[in-house]
Amino acid sequence: GDSVTQMEGPVTLSEEAFLTINCTYTATGYPSLFWYVQYPGEGLQLLLKATKADDKGSNKGFEATYRKETTSFHLEKGSVQVSDSAVYFCASRYSSASKIIFGSGTRLSIRP
Amino acid sequence: DAGVIQSPRHEVTEMGQEVTLRCKPISGHDYLFWYRQTMMRGLELLIYFNNNVPIDDSGMPEDRFSAKMPNASFSTLKIQPSEPRDSAVYFCASSFSSGGTQETQYFGPGTRLLVL
């Protein structure tokens, strides 16, 4: 069945470091892909999304490109801030489905 | 818009008691989802509704769990009787469909449940 695999955390970086969180998906077709972020004590919120191959989603300095050839949707940010400390979830949804398949989440901690 | 509203935000109860979690989706949304989040199992989809009708409840752990959506603006998740292993954060999320495509899911702040 469809699944999403993301790198295990926790990931700890210093402020202004470059961030990559890897995510790969398996799907029978061409799903829409998402990154959600969960700040401490809050629910998940959509960070960015891409709906077809080669699309790039971006928001708040974060970017992810839908790579069909490698079935990947890696999250990147050029210079992280302490306020980026959160748990990040990669997710997919097949176009005709209603359920979103979430990865296990990656906890990110940024040191000042 | 107020966003997805959940109540209570925190619940502490004793094993064997009935627990009812409540959710008010965003107005106009036709999908509603219930999730459970724990450290051990991560984020799990329990059940979801479309136009107030349960579509997939395959994630509901067992018969002690039940969910209802009597109207478009209200849903409940009930656990009876509760057990310590039910301790988790329960999230409600809603979304709307446009042209047959479901749009972004919006999550509520969650209910943190502790069963002693």
Side-chain angles (χ1 to χ4, degrees):
Chain A
D2 296 351
S3 67
V4 173
T5 303
Q6 60 182 107
M7 64 188 290
E8 291 192 20
V11 174
T12 303
L13 297 173
S14 296
E15 203 165 22
E16 299 184 2
F18 184 85
L19 168 71
T20 299
I21 301 178
N22 291 337
C23 172
T24 57
Y25 66 91
T26 60
T28 52
Y30 301 103
S32 295
L33 301 174
F34 309 84
W35 277 100
Y36 278 79
V37 59
Q38 183 180 28
Y39 298 104
E42 299 183 10
L44 281 70
Q45 53 186 277
L46 180 68
L47 180 60
L48 53 85
K49 68 179 182 181
T51 57
K52 61 183 187 294
D54 299 326
D55 268 2
K56 178 186 285 187
S58 61
N59 186 24
K60 299 181 180 180
F62 291 89
E63 293 183 341
T65 301
Y66 191 139
R67 302 286 187 199
K68 186 179 67 173
E69 63 276 12
T70 54
T71 62
S72 65
F73 193 55
H74 304 323
L75 182 68
E76 297 181 336
K77 186 174 185 181
S79 177
V80 293
Q81 305 300 314
V82 173
S83 57
D84 295 326
S85 298
V87 181
Y88 292 81
F89 292 87
C90 186
S92 72
R93 187 182 69 224
Y94 191 56
S95 59
S96 63
S98 299
K99 293 195 296 187
I100 290 181
I101 308 298
F102 284 94
S104 57
T106 302
R107 183 175 298 277
L108 173 67
S109 295
I110 307 301
R111 294 188 299 255
Chain B
D1 200 323
V4 176
I5 298 173
Q6 293 186 246
S7 64
R9 293 294 310 275
H10 302 273
E11 176 81 24
V12 180
T13 190
E14 292 188 346
M15 182 174 62
Q17 296 298 305
E18 178 180 293
V19 175
T20 299
L21 311 181
R22 297 172 176 81
C23 175
K24 177 178 169 55
I26 293 173
S27 177
H29 284 193
D30 54 347
Y31 281 89
L32 185 140
F33 304 81
W34 282 102
Y35 293 88
R36 178 172 68 176
Q37 186 178 39
T38 62
M39 289 294 291
M40 292 297 295
R41 301 176 68 91
L43 191 65
E44 304 172 276
L45 176 64
L46 301 177
I47 184 172
Y48 75 93
F49 297 82
N50 179 219
N51 291 322
N52 313 338
V53 176
I55 303 300
D56 183 349
D57 65 355
S58 60
M60 295 286 263
E62 49 199 272
D63 292 345
R64 297 184 298 105
F65 286 69
S66 63
K68 295 181 179 179
M69 191 165 187
N71 57 62
S73 59
F74 183 65
S75 177
T76 59
L77 178 68
K78 186 174 294 186
I79 309 172
Q80 167 63 17
S82 59
E83 297 183 3
R85 59 192 168 122
D86 302 330
S87 298
V89 182
Y90 291 82
F91 289 103
C92 177
S94 70
S95 66
F96 73 94
S97 57
S98 172
T101 301
Q102 191 199 147
E103 302 296 334
T104 302
Q105 285 189 22
Y106 292 86
F107 282 72
T111 294
R112 187 173 297 273
L113 173 66
L114 177 62
V115 183
L116 302 173

